[in-house]
mmCIF file of all heavy atoms in Angstrom:
data_model
loop_
_atom_site.group_PDB
_atom_site.id
_atom_site.type_symbol
_atom_site.label_atom_id
_atom_site.label_comp_id
_atom_site.label_asym_id
_atom_site.label_seq_id
_atom_site.Cartn_x
_atom_site.Cartn_y
_atom_site.Cartn_z
ATOM 1 N N ILE C 86 -20.815 13.004 13.629
ATOM 2 C CA ILE C 86 -21.674 14.022 14.263
ATOM 3 C C ILE C 86 -22.937 13.365 14.827
ATOM 4 O O ILE C 86 -23.323 13.594 15.980
ATOM 5 C CB ILE C 86 -22.035 15.134 13.243
ATOM 6 C CG1 ILE C 86 -20.774 15.923 12.877
ATOM 7 C CG2 ILE C 86 -23.126 16.057 13.799
ATOM 8 C CD1 ILE C 86 -20.941 16.852 11.670
ATOM 9 N N ASN C 87 -23.573 12.504 14.019
ATOM 10 C CA ASN C 87 -24.791 11.831 14.467
ATOM 11 C C ASN C 87 -24.521 10.942 15.682
ATOM 12 O O ASN C 87 -25.324 10.887 16.615
ATOM 13 C CB ASN C 87 -25.379 10.971 13.351
ATOM 14 C CG ASN C 87 -25.965 11.813 12.220
ATOM 15 O OD1 ASN C 87 -25.694 13.011 12.123
ATOM 16 N ND2 ASN C 87 -26.744 11.196 11.352
ATOM 17 N N THR C 88 -23.384 10.224 15.641
ATOM 18 C CA THR C 88 -23.046 9.327 16.748
ATOM 19 C C THR C 88 -22.890 10.117 18.048
ATOM 20 O O THR C 88 -23.447 9.749 19.084
ATOM 21 C CB THR C 88 -21.741 8.574 16.449
ATOM 22 O OG1 THR C 88 -21.930 7.794 15.272
ATOM 23 C CG2 THR C 88 -21.350 7.672 17.599
ATOM 24 N N PHE C 89 -22.138 11.209 17.955
ATOM 25 C CA PHE C 89 -21.928 12.025 19.153
ATOM 26 C C PHE C 89 -23.266 12.534 19.693
ATOM 27 O O PHE C 89 -23.525 12.475 20.891
ATOM 28 C CB PHE C 89 -20.992 13.196 18.853
ATOM 29 C CG PHE C 89 -20.669 14.004 20.077
ATOM 30 C CD1 PHE C 89 -19.738 13.557 20.995
ATOM 31 C CD2 PHE C 89 -21.325 15.196 20.318
ATOM 32 C CE1 PHE C 89 -19.462 14.287 22.146
ATOM 33 C CE2 PHE C 89 -21.058 15.942 21.461
ATOM 34 C CZ PHE C 89 -20.118 15.485 22.374
ATOM 35 N N ASN C 90 -24.129 12.989 18.780
ATOM 36 C CA ASN C 90 -25.408 13.544 19.217
ATOM 37 C C ASN C 90 -26.332 12.472 19.796
ATOM 38 O O ASN C 90 -27.108 12.757 20.703
ATOM 39 C CB ASN C 90 -26.071 14.306 18.065
ATOM 40 C CG ASN C 90 -25.316 15.599 17.754
ATOM 41 O OD1 ASN C 90 -24.534 16.093 18.569
ATOM 42 N ND2 ASN C 90 -25.542 16.143 16.571
ATOM 43 N N VAL C 91 -26.222 11.245 19.297
ATOM 44 C CA VAL C 91 -26.987 10.138 19.884
ATOM 45 C C VAL C 91 -26.549 9.925 21.338
ATOM 46 O O VAL C 91 -27.382 9.713 22.229
ATOM 47 C CB VAL C 91 -26.791 8.830 19.068
ATOM 48 C CG1 VAL C 91 -27.209 7.604 19.875
ATOM 49 C CG2 VAL C 91 -27.583 8.898 17.762
ATOM 50 N N ILE C 92 -25.255 10.019 21.575
ATOM 51 C CA ILE C 92 -24.751 9.860 22.951
ATOM 52 C C ILE C 92 -25.304 10.976 23.840
ATOM 53 O O ILE C 92 -25.785 10.726 24.946
ATOM 54 C CB ILE C 92 -23.208 9.882 22.977
ATOM 55 C CG1 ILE C 92 -22.644 8.713 22.174
ATOM 56 C CG2 ILE C 92 -22.701 9.824 24.413
ATOM 57 C CD1 ILE C 92 -21.138 8.801 21.934
ATOM 58 N N ILE C 93 -25.254 12.212 23.323
ATOM 59 C CA ILE C 93 -25.744 13.347 24.110
ATOM 60 C C ILE C 93 -27.246 13.202 24.399
ATOM 61 O O ILE C 93 -27.691 13.421 25.519
ATOM 62 C CB ILE C 93 -25.467 14.684 23.379
ATOM 63 C CG1 ILE C 93 -23.957 14.911 23.220
ATOM 64 C CG2 ILE C 93 -26.123 15.862 24.116
ATOM 65 C CD1 ILE C 93 -23.173 15.030 24.508
ATOM 66 N N GLU C 94 -28.002 12.795 23.383
ATOM 67 C CA GLU C 94 -29.449 12.629 23.572
ATOM 68 C C GLU C 94 -29.777 11.529 24.574
ATOM 69 O O GLU C 94 -30.823 11.539 25.198
ATOM 70 C CB GLU C 94 -30.125 12.278 22.233
ATOM 71 C CG GLU C 94 -30.348 13.479 21.333
ATOM 72 C CD GLU C 94 -30.530 13.060 19.868
ATOM 73 O OE1 GLU C 94 -30.980 11.920 19.617
ATOM 74 O OE2 GLU C 94 -30.204 13.893 18.985
ATOM 75 N N ASN C 95 -28.888 10.556 24.685
ATOM 76 C CA ASN C 95 -29.104 9.428 25.608
ATOM 77 C C ASN C 95 -28.112 9.484 26.766
ATOM 78 O O ASN C 95 -27.680 8.459 27.285
ATOM 79 C CB ASN C 95 -28.980 8.104 24.849
ATOM 80 C CG ASN C 95 -30.032 7.971 23.767
ATOM 81 O OD1 ASN C 95 -31.179 7.632 24.043
ATOM 82 N ND2 ASN C 95 -29.668 8.293 22.539
ATOM 83 N N LYS C 96 -27.781 10.687 27.142
ATOM 84 C CA LYS C 96 -26.745 10.911 28.147
ATOM 85 C C LYS C 96 -27.014 10.133 29.434
ATOM 86 O O LYS C 96 -26.114 9.502 29.991
ATOM 87 C CB LYS C 96 -26.666 12.406 28.437
ATOM 88 C CG LYS C 96 -25.383 12.836 29.104
ATOM 89 C CD LYS C 96 -25.469 14.285 29.547
ATOM 90 C CE LYS C 96 -25.136 15.245 28.417
ATOM 91 N NZ LYS C 96 -25.049 16.647 28.893
ATOM 92 N N ALA C 97 -28.264 10.161 29.903
ATOM 93 C CA ALA C 97 -28.581 9.507 31.176
ATOM 94 C C ALA C 97 -28.248 8.019 31.113
ATOM 95 O O ALA C 97 -27.631 7.464 32.023
ATOM 96 C CB ALA C 97 -30.058 9.721 31.513
ATOM 97 N N TYR C 98 -28.645 7.394 29.997
ATOM 98 C CA TYR C 98 -28.367 5.961 29.812
ATOM 99 C C TYR C 98 -26.862 5.690 29.823
ATOM 100 O O TYR C 98 -26.374 4.789 30.515
ATOM 101 C CB TYR C 98 -28.990 5.481 28.496
ATOM 102 C CG TYR C 98 -28.431 4.157 28.019
ATOM 103 C CD1 TYR C 98 -28.893 2.952 28.556
ATOM 104 C CD2 TYR C 98 -27.423 4.123 27.051
ATOM 105 C CE1 TYR C 98 -28.362 1.743 28.136
ATOM 106 C CE2 TYR C 98 -26.891 2.913 26.622
ATOM 107 C CZ TYR C 98 -27.361 1.729 27.165
ATOM 108 O OH TYR C 98 -26.820 0.548 26.746
ATOM 109 N N PHE C 99 -26.116 6.470 29.030
ATOM 110 C CA PHE C 99 -24.673 6.229 28.918
ATOM 111 C C PHE C 99 -23.952 6.513 30.239
ATOM 112 O O PHE C 99 -23.056 5.777 30.638
ATOM 113 C CB PHE C 99 -24.073 7.061 27.782
ATOM 114 C CG PHE C 99 -24.309 6.465 26.421
ATOM 115 C CD1 PHE C 99 -25.242 7.008 25.549
ATOM 116 C CD2 PHE C 99 -23.598 5.334 26.013
ATOM 117 C CE1 PHE C 99 -25.469 6.450 24.291
ATOM 118 C CE2 PHE C 99 -23.819 4.766 24.765
ATOM 119 C CZ PHE C 99 -24.749 5.325 23.899
ATOM 120 N N MET C 100 -24.351 7.566 30.922
ATOM 121 C CA MET C 100 -23.695 7.905 32.189
ATOM 122 C C MET C 100 -23.834 6.766 33.198
ATOM 123 O O MET C 100 -22.893 6.405 33.887
ATOM 124 C CB MET C 100 -24.305 9.194 32.763
ATOM 125 C CG MET C 100 -23.822 10.424 32.061
ATOM 126 S SD MET C 100 -22.016 10.526 32.073
ATOM 127 C CE MET C 100 -21.799 12.239 31.942
ATOM 128 N N GLU C 101 -25.051 6.200 33.242
ATOM 129 C CA GLU C 101 -25.299 5.104 34.170
ATOM 130 C C GLU C 101 -24.404 3.908 33.828
ATOM 131 O O GLU C 101 -23.779 3.302 34.691
ATOM 132 C CB GLU C 101 -26.770 4.714 34.075
ATOM 133 C CG GLU C 101 -27.268 3.936 35.267
ATOM 134 C CD GLU C 101 -28.774 3.747 35.204
ATOM 135 O OE1 GLU C 101 -29.484 4.774 35.013
ATOM 136 O OE2 GLU C 101 -29.219 2.596 35.304
ATOM 137 N N LYS C 102 -24.330 3.611 32.537
ATOM 138 C CA LYS C 102 -23.507 2.505 32.059
ATOM 139 C C LYS C 102 -22.024 2.732 32.392
ATOM 140 O O LYS C 102 -21.341 1.838 32.898
ATOM 141 C CB LYS C 102 -23.710 2.427 30.534
ATOM 142 C CG LYS C 102 -22.923 1.389 29.783
ATOM 143 C CD LYS C 102 -23.334 1.482 28.298
ATOM 144 C CE LYS C 102 -22.165 1.298 27.356
ATOM 145 N NZ LYS C 102 -21.848 -0.085 27.058
ATOM 146 N N TRP C 103 -21.534 3.934 32.124
ATOM 147 C CA TRP C 103 -20.111 4.215 32.360
ATOM 148 C C TRP C 103 -19.789 4.263 33.849
ATOM 149 O O TRP C 103 -18.717 3.856 34.266
ATOM 150 C CB TRP C 103 -19.701 5.524 31.681
ATOM 151 C CG TRP C 103 -19.786 5.458 30.193
ATOM 152 C CD1 TRP C 103 -19.591 4.350 29.409
ATOM 153 C CD2 TRP C 103 -20.105 6.521 29.296
ATOM 154 N NE1 TRP C 103 -19.769 4.681 28.089
ATOM 155 C CE2 TRP C 103 -20.078 6.005 27.981
ATOM 156 C CE3 TRP C 103 -20.405 7.884 29.471
ATOM 157 C CZ2 TRP C 103 -20.342 6.777 26.861
ATOM 158 C CZ3 TRP C 103 -20.662 8.659 28.362
ATOM 159 C CH2 TRP C 103 -20.634 8.108 27.062
ATOM 160 N N LYS C 104 -20.747 4.767 34.654
ATOM 161 C CA LYS C 104 -20.504 4.793 36.099
ATOM 162 C C LYS C 104 -20.375 3.375 36.639
ATOM 163 O O LYS C 104 -19.516 3.094 37.470
ATOM 164 C CB LYS C 104 -21.610 5.571 36.815
ATOM 165 C CG LYS C 104 -21.327 7.061 36.771
ATOM 166 C CD LYS C 104 -22.436 7.897 37.370
ATOM 167 C CE LYS C 104 -22.130 9.383 37.131
ATOM 168 N NZ LYS C 104 -23.328 10.209 37.120
ATOM 169 N N ALA C 105 -21.226 2.482 36.126
ATOM 170 C CA ALA C 105 -21.130 1.077 36.542
ATOM 171 C C ALA C 105 -19.782 0.495 36.116
ATOM 172 O O ALA C 105 -19.120 -0.216 36.885
ATOM 173 C CB ALA C 105 -22.282 0.274 35.940
ATOM 174 N N GLU C 106 -19.350 0.827 34.903
ATOM 175 C CA GLU C 106 -18.078 0.294 34.407
ATOM 176 C C GLU C 106 -16.883 0.871 35.150
ATOM 177 O O GLU C 106 -15.872 0.204 35.342
ATOM 178 C CB GLU C 106 -17.938 0.564 32.902
ATOM 179 C CG GLU C 106 -18.497 -0.587 32.088
ATOM 180 C CD GLU C 106 -18.567 -0.284 30.600
ATOM 181 O OE1 GLU C 106 -17.859 0.633 30.141
ATOM 182 O OE2 GLU C 106 -19.337 -0.957 29.910
ATOM 183 N N SER C 107 -16.983 2.108 35.562
ATOM 184 C CA SER C 107 -15.847 2.710 36.256
ATOM 185 C C SER C 107 -15.700 2.131 37.657
ATOM 186 O O SER C 107 -14.670 2.273 38.298
ATOM 187 C CB SER C 107 -15.961 4.233 36.279
ATOM 188 O OG SER C 107 -16.745 4.653 37.363
ATOM 189 N N GLN C 108 -16.743 1.422 38.119
ATOM 190 C CA GLN C 108 -16.656 0.722 39.403
ATOM 191 C C GLN C 108 -16.143 -0.700 39.229
ATOM 192 O O GLN C 108 -15.339 -1.180 40.012
ATOM 193 C CB GLN C 108 -18.046 0.627 40.055
ATOM 194 C CG GLN C 108 -18.719 1.943 40.314
ATOM 195 C CD GLN C 108 -17.978 2.798 41.319
ATOM 196 O OE1 GLN C 108 -17.532 2.312 42.343
ATOM 197 N NE2 GLN C 108 -17.828 4.085 41.009
ATOM 198 N N SER C 109 -16.620 -1.360 38.175
ATOM 199 C CA SER C 109 -16.453 -2.812 38.171
ATOM 200 C C SER C 109 -15.674 -3.390 36.991
ATOM 201 O O SER C 109 -15.263 -4.532 37.027
ATOM 202 C CB SER C 109 -17.837 -3.477 38.198
ATOM 203 O OG SER C 109 -18.539 -3.117 37.026
ATOM 204 N N GLY C 110 -15.481 -2.615 35.935
ATOM 205 C CA GLY C 110 -14.805 -3.174 34.766
ATOM 206 C C GLY C 110 -13.326 -3.444 35.013
ATOM 207 O O GLY C 110 -12.820 -3.185 36.104
ATOM 208 N N ASN C 111 -12.638 -3.960 34.004
ATOM 209 C CA ASN C 111 -11.193 -4.101 34.141
ATOM 210 C C ASN C 111 -10.539 -2.731 34.044
ATOM 211 O O ASN C 111 -11.183 -1.724 33.774
ATOM 212 C CB ASN C 111 -10.625 -5.104 33.126
ATOM 213 C CG ASN C 111 -10.718 -4.593 31.696
ATOM 214 O OD1 ASN C 111 -10.554 -3.399 31.423
ATOM 215 N ND2 ASN C 111 -10.973 -5.491 30.770
ATOM 216 N N LEU C 112 -9.249 -2.667 34.250
ATOM 217 C CA LEU C 112 -8.548 -1.393 34.369
ATOM 218 C C LEU C 112 -8.757 -0.497 33.150
ATOM 219 O O LEU C 112 -9.028 0.694 33.275
ATOM 220 C CB LEU C 112 -7.054 -1.666 34.572
ATOM 221 C CG LEU C 112 -6.338 -0.657 35.461
ATOM 222 C CD1 LEU C 112 -6.982 -0.551 36.836
ATOM 223 C CD2 LEU C 112 -4.864 -1.017 35.566
ATOM 224 N N LEU C 113 -8.631 -1.092 31.957
ATOM 225 C CA LEU C 113 -8.771 -0.303 30.732
ATOM 226 C C LEU C 113 -10.196 0.232 30.587
ATOM 227 O O LEU C 113 -10.404 1.400 30.251
ATOM 228 C CB LEU C 113 -8.391 -1.154 29.509
ATOM 229 C CG LEU C 113 -8.456 -0.408 28.170
ATOM 230 C CD1 LEU C 113 -7.419 0.704 28.101
ATOM 231 C CD2 LEU C 113 -8.258 -1.376 27.013
ATOM 232 N N ARG C 114 -11.175 -0.634 30.863
ATOM 233 C CA ARG C 114 -12.575 -0.201 30.734
ATOM 234 C C ARG C 114 -12.904 0.879 31.752
ATOM 235 O O ARG C 114 -13.632 1.822 31.452
ATOM 236 C CB ARG C 114 -13.519 -1.391 30.885
ATOM 237 C CG ARG C 114 -13.490 -2.318 29.682
ATOM 238 C CD ARG C 114 -14.625 -3.327 29.732
ATOM 239 N NE ARG C 114 -15.886 -2.738 29.295
ATOM 240 C CZ ARG C 114 -16.279 -2.710 28.017
ATOM 241 N NH1 ARG C 114 -15.525 -3.215 27.081
ATOM 242 N NH2 ARG C 114 -17.441 -2.182 27.694
ATOM 243 N N ARG C 115 -12.359 0.753 32.951
ATOM 244 C CA ARG C 115 -12.572 1.778 33.967
ATOM 245 C C ARG C 115 -12.016 3.112 33.511
ATOM 246 O O ARG C 115 -12.656 4.142 33.639
ATOM 247 C CB ARG C 115 -11.830 1.395 35.259
ATOM 248 C CG ARG C 115 -12.598 0.484 36.135
ATOM 249 C CD ARG C 115 -11.875 0.384 37.455
ATOM 250 N NE ARG C 115 -11.925 -0.985 37.919
ATOM 251 C CZ ARG C 115 -11.297 -1.408 38.998
ATOM 252 N NH1 ARG C 115 -10.534 -0.590 39.700
ATOM 253 N NH2 ARG C 115 -11.420 -2.661 39.355
ATOM 254 N N TYR C 116 -10.800 3.044 32.970
ATOM 255 C CA TYR C 116 -10.142 4.252 32.486
ATOM 256 C C TYR C 116 -10.964 4.896 31.376
ATOM 257 O O TYR C 116 -11.221 6.101 31.394
ATOM 258 C CB TYR C 116 -8.734 3.894 31.992
ATOM 259 C CG TYR C 116 -8.021 5.050 31.354
ATOM 260 C CD1 TYR C 116 -7.425 6.052 32.139
ATOM 261 C CD2 TYR C 116 -7.922 5.150 29.972
ATOM 262 C CE1 TYR C 116 -6.775 7.121 31.549
ATOM 263 C CE2 TYR C 116 -7.274 6.217 29.371
ATOM 264 C CZ TYR C 116 -6.703 7.198 30.162
ATOM 265 O OH TYR C 116 -6.059 8.252 29.567
ATOM 266 N N LYS C 117 -11.388 4.089 30.415
ATOM 267 C CA LYS C 117 -12.191 4.592 29.295
ATOM 268 C C LYS C 117 -13.507 5.176 29.796
ATOM 269 O O LYS C 117 -13.943 6.231 29.344
ATOM 270 C CB LYS C 117 -12.479 3.461 28.297
ATOM 271 C CG LYS C 117 -11.285 3.085 27.448
ATOM 272 C CD LYS C 117 -10.981 4.169 26.436
ATOM 273 C CE LYS C 117 -9.627 3.935 25.786
ATOM 274 N NZ LYS C 117 -9.013 5.195 25.344
ATOM 275 N N ALA C 118 -14.157 4.456 30.709
ATOM 276 C CA ALA C 118 -15.445 4.918 31.234
ATOM 277 C C ALA C 118 -15.280 6.289 31.894
ATOM 278 O O ALA C 118 -16.076 7.201 31.657
ATOM 279 C CB ALA C 118 -16.007 3.898 32.221
ATOM 280 N N ASP C 119 -14.220 6.459 32.674
ATOM 281 C CA ASP C 119 -13.980 7.752 33.328
ATOM 282 C C ASP C 119 -13.740 8.854 32.303
ATOM 283 O O ASP C 119 -14.224 9.974 32.457
ATOM 284 C CB ASP C 119 -12.778 7.660 34.280
ATOM 285 C CG ASP C 119 -13.111 6.875 35.544
ATOM 286 O OD1 ASP C 119 -14.318 6.761 35.866
ATOM 287 O OD2 ASP C 119 -12.178 6.381 36.197
ATOM 288 N N GLU C 120 -12.986 8.512 31.249
ATOM 289 C CA GLU C 120 -12.737 9.475 30.174
ATOM 290 C C GLU C 120 -14.045 9.936 29.535
ATOM 291 O O GLU C 120 -14.254 11.122 29.287
ATOM 292 C CB GLU C 120 -11.884 8.824 29.078
ATOM 293 C CG GLU C 120 -10.447 8.587 29.453
ATOM 294 C CD GLU C 120 -9.609 9.803 29.165
ATOM 295 O OE1 GLU C 120 -9.509 10.190 27.986
ATOM 296 O OE2 GLU C 120 -9.076 10.369 30.138
ATOM 297 N N PHE C 121 -14.904 8.959 29.246
ATOM 298 C CA PHE C 121 -16.177 9.287 28.590
ATOM 299 C C PHE C 121 -17.074 10.112 29.516
ATOM 300 O O PHE C 121 -17.738 11.038 29.067
ATOM 301 C CB PHE C 121 -16.888 8.001 28.131
ATOM 302 C CG PHE C 121 -16.474 7.552 26.754
ATOM 303 C CD1 PHE C 121 -15.218 7.008 26.529
ATOM 304 C CD2 PHE C 121 -17.329 7.699 25.673
ATOM 305 C CE1 PHE C 121 -14.829 6.610 25.255
ATOM 306 C CE2 PHE C 121 -16.952 7.307 24.385
ATOM 307 C CZ PHE C 121 -15.701 6.756 24.182
ATOM 308 N N ILE C 122 -17.083 9.774 30.794
ATOM 309 C CA ILE C 122 -17.906 10.532 31.746
ATOM 310 C C ILE C 122 -17.474 11.992 31.750
ATOM 311 O O ILE C 122 -18.298 12.897 31.639
ATOM 312 C CB ILE C 122 -17.802 9.920 33.167
ATOM 313 C CG1 ILE C 122 -18.550 8.581 33.212
ATOM 314 C CG2 ILE C 122 -18.353 10.892 34.218
ATOM 315 C CD1 ILE C 122 -18.289 7.761 34.459
ATOM 316 N N LYS C 123 -16.157 12.218 31.804
ATOM 317 C CA LYS C 123 -15.636 13.591 31.827
ATOM 318 C C LYS C 123 -16.032 14.353 30.564
ATOM 319 O O LYS C 123 -16.381 15.524 30.605
ATOM 320 C CB LYS C 123 -14.104 13.566 31.930
ATOM 321 C CG LYS C 123 -13.587 13.678 33.355
ATOM 322 C CD LYS C 123 -12.067 13.755 33.371
ATOM 323 C CE LYS C 123 -11.460 12.403 33.652
ATOM 324 N NZ LYS C 123 -10.029 12.302 33.376
ATOM 325 N N MET C 124 -15.948 13.642 29.443
ATOM 326 C CA MET C 124 -16.175 14.285 28.151
ATOM 327 C C MET C 124 -17.649 14.605 27.898
ATOM 328 O O MET C 124 -18.003 15.623 27.334
ATOM 329 C CB MET C 124 -15.696 13.352 27.045
ATOM 330 C CG MET C 124 -14.957 14.050 25.941
ATOM 331 S SD MET C 124 -14.337 12.864 24.744
ATOM 332 C CE MET C 124 -14.269 11.328 25.628
ATOM 333 N N ILE C 125 -18.525 13.693 28.316
ATOM 334 C CA ILE C 125 -19.938 13.788 27.938
ATOM 335 C C ILE C 125 -20.777 14.528 28.980
ATOM 336 O O ILE C 125 -21.807 15.111 28.653
ATOM 337 C CB ILE C 125 -20.520 12.371 27.680
ATOM 338 C CG1 ILE C 125 -19.709 11.643 26.587
ATOM 339 C CG2 ILE C 125 -21.989 12.419 27.297
ATOM 340 C CD1 ILE C 125 -19.676 12.316 25.231
ATOM 341 N N ALA C 126 -20.322 14.543 30.236
ATOM 342 C CA ALA C 126 -21.125 15.111 31.334
ATOM 343 C C ALA C 126 -21.715 16.470 30.980
ATOM 344 O O ALA C 126 -22.901 16.716 31.182
ATOM 345 C CB ALA C 126 -20.290 15.193 32.607
ATOM 346 N N ASP C 127 -20.879 17.365 30.458
ATOM 347 C CA ASP C 127 -21.360 18.708 30.114
ATOM 348 C C ASP C 127 -21.475 18.899 28.608
ATOM 349 O O ASP C 127 -21.518 20.022 28.116
ATOM 350 C CB ASP C 127 -20.402 19.763 30.685
ATOM 351 C CG ASP C 127 -20.283 19.636 32.184
ATOM 352 O OD1 ASP C 127 -21.329 19.454 32.837
ATOM 353 O OD2 ASP C 127 -19.146 19.699 32.716
ATOM 354 N N GLY C 128 -21.509 17.794 27.871
ATOM 355 C CA GLY C 128 -21.528 17.880 26.410
ATOM 356 C C GLY C 128 -22.844 18.418 25.866
ATOM 357 O O GLY C 128 -23.904 18.205 26.444
#
Side-chain angles (χ1 to χ4, degrees):
I86 293 168
N87 290 15
T88 299
F89 184 78
N90 290 342
V91 163
I92 298 169
I93 297 298
E94 281 159 27
N95 298 280
K96 198 189 276 187
Y98 163 81
F99 281 105
M100 283 305 206
E101 199 172 309
K102 178 178 141 85
W103 295 329
K104 277 176 186 155
E106 269 172 20
S107 85
Q108 301 296 316
S109 62
N111 68 36
L112 214 57
L113 182 65
R114 288 191 79 88
R115 275 190 220 175
Y116 175 78
K117 285 289 168 208
D119 287 339
E120 288 273 297
F121 272 72
I122 288 168
K123 265 184 262 166
M124 222 176 338
I125 303 300
D127 301 316

